[in-house]
Amino acid sequence: MADRLRADAQRNRAALLAAARQVFGEHGLDASLDEIARRAGVGNATLYRRFPTRRDLIAEVFAGQMTGYVELAENALAEPDPWAAFVTYLTRLFEIQATDRGLSELLVTTGFDEDERLAGLLATAQRGATEVIRRAQAAGRLRADFTRRDISLLMRANAGVLRSSPDPGAWRRQLALVLDGLGAR
């Protein structure tokens, strides 16, 4: 009997995480927890038993995706052309924002430093981004005054485009304009 309950608990947890990924992706980090429980096919009590706070759920849902964010920088650093690496890195960041509202909000939010796992992944990703920027600047392709903090500004601007434009591909146009302005003169 205990094994069956344990298997049920594991299924419920997996269903909650899958539902949360979907709901956060569609509606952002403030999405209804009731909707997550409903889509997972469990009661609210099960949701709160597995994840006592919204932050606990968010941390668990996005840890894997934050690993993907770290890999973006690693992949960019493997690219031999520093400018192509920078362009690809920024393009993928904007693309992630366009396809996953929850992750987009997490990447521009500063309120999740309490979770060691997410904070560690974010710090690793930021170190990688800094190196992508440094390489493009050293190659003379990226303006010298661009910093990692500017990526946060660009992502916030892109979030605004995603929220306000009726054109789902408007972020590509914005990115093209941004990249044109970021080239070294």
Side-chain angles (χ1 to χ4, degrees):
M1 182 79 151
D3 288 338
R4 192 177 133 257
L5 290 175
R6 182 169 183 197
D8 287 351
Q10 288 174 350
R11 274 194 302 276
N12 288 345
R13 184 177 190 285
L16 283 164
L17 290 172
R21 270 186 214 95
Q22 185 179 36
V23 173
F24 287 143
E26 294 168 4
H27 302 287
L29 299 178
D30 290 330
S32 165
L33 296 181
D34 291 342
E35 177 64 11
I36 291 169
R38 187 190 67 72
R39 287 197 198 181
V42 301
N44 288 359
T46 299
L47 174 99
Y48 288 107
R49 189 169 36 257
R50 300 287 163 242
F51 305 100
T53 69
R54 178 181 294 271
R55 286 184 186 274
D56 292 334
L57 181 59
I58 288 170
E60 193 63 30
V61 165
F62 290 105
Q65 286 159 295
M66 286 297 287
T67 300
Y69 179 45
V70 169
E71 290 169 359
L72 284 179
E74 292 171 351
N75 291 341
L77 292 171
E79 164 65 49
D81 179 335
W83 180 249
F86 178 77
V87 168
T88 299
Y89 179 76
L90 218 53
T91 301
R92 286 292 298 131
L93 279 178
F94 276 40
E95 188 174 57
I96 286 169
Q97 278 190 289
T99 58
D100 189 326
R101 186 170 166 193
L103 185 58
S104 172
E105 289 178 10
L106 184 66
L107 293 176
V108 297
T109 300
T110 58
F112 291 93
D113 295 338
E114 304 88 36
D115 185 86
E116 285 182 27
R117 184 173 36 169
L118 288 182
L121 289 167
L122 181 61
T124 300
Q126 289 174 339
R127 283 190 300 275
T130 299
E131 183 60 16
V132 170
I133 291 165
R134 190 204 61 73
R135 285 180 62 221
Q137 288 170 330
R141 299 295 308 275
L142 178 63
R143 53 189 295 162
D145 62 343
F146 188 84
T147 70
R148 181 183 50 77
R149 288 190 183 118
D150 292 321
I151 290 178
S152 294
L153 293 175
L154 293 175
M155 291 180 71
R156 284 183 176 89
N158 190 46
V161 168
L162 292 168
R163 275 191 308 271
S164 64
S165 177
D167 176 6
W171 67 269
R172 291 184 189 279
R173 173 83 174 132
Q174 180 197 4
L175 178 60
L177 294 169
V178 165
L179 288 170
D180 187 52
L182 289 177
R185 302 283 181 235

PDB file of all heavy atoms in Angstrom, residues 126-141:
ATOM      1  N   GLN A 126      25.037  34.463 -16.032  1.00  0.00           N
ATOM      2  CA  GLN A 126      25.524  35.840 -16.154  1.00  0.00           C
ATOM      3  C   GLN A 126      27.025  35.880 -16.425  1.00  0.00           C
ATOM      4  O   GLN A 126      27.490  36.713 -17.210  1.00  0.00           O
ATOM      5  CB  GLN A 126      25.168  36.639 -14.903  1.00  0.00           C
ATOM      6  CG  GLN A 126      23.689  36.923 -14.820  1.00  0.00           C
ATOM      7  CD  GLN A 126      23.272  37.578 -13.520  1.00  0.00           C
ATOM      8  OE1 GLN A 126      23.972  37.504 -12.504  1.00  0.00           O
ATOM      9  NE2 GLN A 126      22.123  38.216 -13.527  1.00  0.00           N
ATOM     10  N   ARG A 127      27.779  34.982 -15.808  1.00  0.00           N
ATOM     11  CA  ARG A 127      29.220  34.912 -16.099  1.00  0.00           C
ATOM     12  C   ARG A 127      29.441  34.540 -17.562  1.00  0.00           C
ATOM     13  O   ARG A 127      30.301  35.112 -18.238  1.00  0.00           O
ATOM     14  CB  ARG A 127      29.916  33.908 -15.177  1.00  0.00           C
ATOM     15  CG  ARG A 127      30.158  34.429 -13.772  1.00  0.00           C
ATOM     16  CD  ARG A 127      31.067  33.523 -12.958  1.00  0.00           C
ATOM     17  NE  ARG A 127      30.555  32.172 -12.781  1.00  0.00           N
ATOM     18  CZ  ARG A 127      29.700  31.795 -11.835  1.00  0.00           C
ATOM     19  NH1 ARG A 127      29.271  32.678 -10.955  1.00  0.00           N
ATOM     20  NH2 ARG A 127      29.290  30.552 -11.746  1.00  0.00           N
ATOM     21  N   GLY A 128      28.642  33.598 -18.054  1.00  0.00           N
ATOM     22  CA  GLY A 128      28.751  33.213 -19.455  1.00  0.00           C
ATOM     23  C   GLY A 128      28.401  34.363 -20.380  1.00  0.00           C
ATOM     24  O   GLY A 128      29.081  34.609 -21.380  1.00  0.00           O
ATOM     25  N   ALA A 129      27.334  35.095 -20.060  1.00  0.00           N
ATOM     26  CA  ALA A 129      26.924  36.242 -20.875  1.00  0.00           C
ATOM     27  C   ALA A 129      28.027  37.299 -20.902  1.00  0.00           C
ATOM     28  O   ALA A 129      28.314  37.882 -21.957  1.00  0.00           O
ATOM     29  CB  ALA A 129      25.628  36.831 -20.332  1.00  0.00           C
ATOM     30  N   THR A 130      28.646  37.534 -19.755  1.00  0.00           N
ATOM     31  CA  THR A 130      29.735  38.507 -19.679  1.00  0.00           C
ATOM     32  C   THR A 130      30.875  38.111 -20.611  1.00  0.00           C
ATOM     33  O   THR A 130      31.449  38.957 -21.300  1.00  0.00           O
ATOM     34  CB  THR A 130      30.231  38.649 -18.221  1.00  0.00           C
ATOM     35  OG1 THR A 130      29.134  39.103 -17.421  1.00  0.00           O
ATOM     36  CG2 THR A 130      31.396  39.605 -18.104  1.00  0.00           C
ATOM     37  N   GLU A 131      31.174  36.828 -20.667  1.00  0.00           N
ATOM     38  CA  GLU A 131      32.247  36.357 -21.538  1.00  0.00           C
ATOM     39  C   GLU A 131      31.860  36.461 -23.017  1.00  0.00           C
ATOM     40  O   GLU A 131      32.686  36.811 -23.867  1.00  0.00           O
ATOM     41  CB  GLU A 131      32.632  34.909 -21.177  1.00  0.00           C
ATOM     42  CG  GLU A 131      33.782  34.351 -21.984  1.00  0.00           C
ATOM     43  CD  GLU A 131      35.094  35.136 -21.835  1.00  0.00           C
ATOM     44  OE1 GLU A 131      35.242  35.940 -20.896  1.00  0.00           O
ATOM     45  OE2 GLU A 131      35.976  34.941 -22.702  1.00  0.00           O
ATOM     46  N   VAL A 132      30.603  36.180 -23.348  1.00  0.00           N
ATOM     47  CA  VAL A 132      30.119  36.343 -24.728  1.00  0.00           C
ATOM     48  C   VAL A 132      30.296  37.802 -25.151  1.00  0.00           C
ATOM     49  O   VAL A 132      30.782  38.098 -26.252  1.00  0.00           O
ATOM     50  CB  VAL A 132      28.637  35.900 -24.855  1.00  0.00           C
ATOM     51  CG1 VAL A 132      28.053  36.297 -26.200  1.00  0.00           C
ATOM     52  CG2 VAL A 132      28.514  34.386 -24.652  1.00  0.00           C
ATOM     53  N   ILE A 133      29.923  38.713 -24.275  1.00  0.00           N
ATOM     54  CA  ILE A 133      30.056  40.152 -24.545  1.00  0.00           C
ATOM     55  C   ILE A 133      31.528  40.530 -24.699  1.00  0.00           C
ATOM     56  O   ILE A 133      31.910  41.223 -25.648  1.00  0.00           O
ATOM     57  CB  ILE A 133      29.402  40.968 -23.411  1.00  0.00           C
ATOM     58  CG1 ILE A 133      27.884  40.778 -23.446  1.00  0.00           C
ATOM     59  CG2 ILE A 133      29.800  42.442 -23.484  1.00  0.00           C
ATOM     60  CD1 ILE A 133      27.173  41.227 -22.176  1.00  0.00           C
ATOM     61  N   ARG A 134      32.350  40.078 -23.769  1.00  0.00           N
ATOM     62  CA  ARG A 134      33.783  40.410 -23.799  1.00  0.00           C
ATOM     63  C   ARG A 134      34.433  39.972 -25.101  1.00  0.00           C
ATOM     64  O   ARG A 134      35.197  40.709 -25.726  1.00  0.00           O
ATOM     65  CB  ARG A 134      34.504  39.778 -22.598  1.00  0.00           C
ATOM     66  CG  ARG A 134      35.943  40.271 -22.439  1.00  0.00           C
ATOM     67  CD  ARG A 134      36.813  39.294 -21.684  1.00  0.00           C
ATOM     68  NE  ARG A 134      36.943  37.990 -22.304  1.00  0.00           N
ATOM     69  CZ  ARG A 134      37.656  37.715 -23.414  1.00  0.00           C
ATOM     70  NH1 ARG A 134      38.292  38.668 -24.048  1.00  0.00           N
ATOM     71  NH2 ARG A 134      37.725  36.482 -23.904  1.00  0.00           N
ATOM     72  N   ARG A 135      34.102  38.757 -25.545  1.00  0.00           N
ATOM     73  CA  ARG A 135      34.679  38.245 -26.804  1.00  0.00           C
ATOM     74  C   ARG A 135      34.269  39.101 -28.000  1.00  0.00           C
ATOM     75  O   ARG A 135      35.093  39.407 -28.860  1.00  0.00           O
ATOM     76  CB  ARG A 135      34.236  36.796 -27.042  1.00  0.00           C
ATOM     77  CG  ARG A 135      34.941  35.786 -26.152  1.00  0.00           C
ATOM     78  CD  ARG A 135      34.465  34.366 -26.433  1.00  0.00           C
ATOM     79  NE  ARG A 135      34.763  33.978 -27.802  1.00  0.00           N
ATOM     80  CZ  ARG A 135      33.945  33.287 -28.605  1.00  0.00           C
ATOM     81  NH1 ARG A 135      32.764  32.896 -28.180  1.00  0.00           N
ATOM     82  NH2 ARG A 135      34.300  32.979 -29.826  1.00  0.00           N
ATOM     83  N   ALA A 136      33.000  39.480 -28.056  1.00  0.00           N
ATOM     84  CA  ALA A 136      32.529  40.292 -29.189  1.00  0.00           C
ATOM     85  C   ALA A 136      33.175  41.674 -29.161  1.00  0.00           C
ATOM     86  O   ALA A 136      33.507  42.240 -30.221  1.00  0.00           O
ATOM     87  CB  ALA A 136      31.009  40.398 -29.157  1.00  0.00           C
ATOM     88  N   GLN A 137      33.384  42.212 -27.977  1.00  0.00           N
ATOM     89  CA  GLN A 137      34.057  43.509 -27.866  1.00  0.00           C
ATOM     90  C   GLN A 137      35.532  43.384 -28.244  1.00  0.00           C
ATOM     91  O   GLN A 137      36.064  44.251 -28.961  1.00  0.00           O
ATOM     92  CB  GLN A 137      33.905  44.056 -26.452  1.00  0.00           C
ATOM     93  CG  GLN A 137      32.498  44.527 -26.155  1.00  0.00           C
ATOM     94  CD  GLN A 137      32.256  44.850 -24.695  1.00  0.00           C
ATOM     95  OE1 GLN A 137      32.870  44.252 -23.803  1.00  0.00           O
ATOM     96  NE2 GLN A 137      31.338  45.779 -24.438  1.00  0.00           N
ATOM     97  N   ALA A 138      36.198  42.327 -27.791  1.00  0.00           N
ATOM     98  CA  ALA A 138      37.618  42.128 -28.101  1.00  0.00           C
ATOM     99  C   ALA A 138      37.832  41.957 -29.606  1.00  0.00           C
ATOM    100  O   ALA A 138      38.879  42.355 -30.133  1.00  0.00           O
ATOM    101  CB  ALA A 138      38.160  40.916 -27.341  1.00  0.00           C
ATOM    102  N   ALA A 139      36.826  41.410 -30.284  1.00  0.00           N
ATOM    103  CA  ALA A 139      36.919  41.231 -31.743  1.00  0.00           C
ATOM    104  C   ALA A 139      36.609  42.537 -32.486  1.00  0.00           C
ATOM    105  O   ALA A 139      36.685  42.585 -33.716  1.00  0.00           O
ATOM    106  CB  ALA A 139      35.965  40.135 -32.195  1.00  0.00           C
ATOM    107  N   GLY A 140      36.243  43.588 -31.728  1.00  0.00           N
ATOM    108  CA  GLY A 140      35.947  44.865 -32.344  1.00  0.00           C
ATOM    109  C   GLY A 140      34.590  44.929 -33.016  1.00  0.00           C
ATOM    110  O   GLY A 140      34.325  45.806 -33.832  1.00  0.00           O
ATOM    111  N   ARG A 141      33.691  44.011 -32.664  1.00  0.00           N
ATOM    112  CA  ARG A 141      32.384  43.945 -33.319  1.00  0.00           C
ATOM    113  C   ARG A 141      31.252  44.531 -32.484  1.00  0.00           C
ATOM    114  O   ARG A 141      30.238  44.925 -33.013  1.00  0.00           O
ATOM    115  CB  ARG A 141      32.050  42.482 -33.660  1.00  0.00           C
ATOM    116  CG  ARG A 141      33.016  41.793 -34.605  1.00  0.00           C
ATOM    117  CD  ARG A 141      33.017  42.398 -36.000  1.00  0.00           C
ATOM    118  NE  ARG A 141      31.702  42.520 -36.611  1.00  0.00           N
ATOM    119  CZ  ARG A 141      31.068  41.577 -37.283  1.00  0.00           C
ATOM    120  NH1 ARG A 141      31.622  40.403 -37.445  1.00  0.00           N
ATOM    121  NH2 ARG A 141      29.876  41.803 -37.796  1.00  0.00           N
TER     122      ARG A 141
END
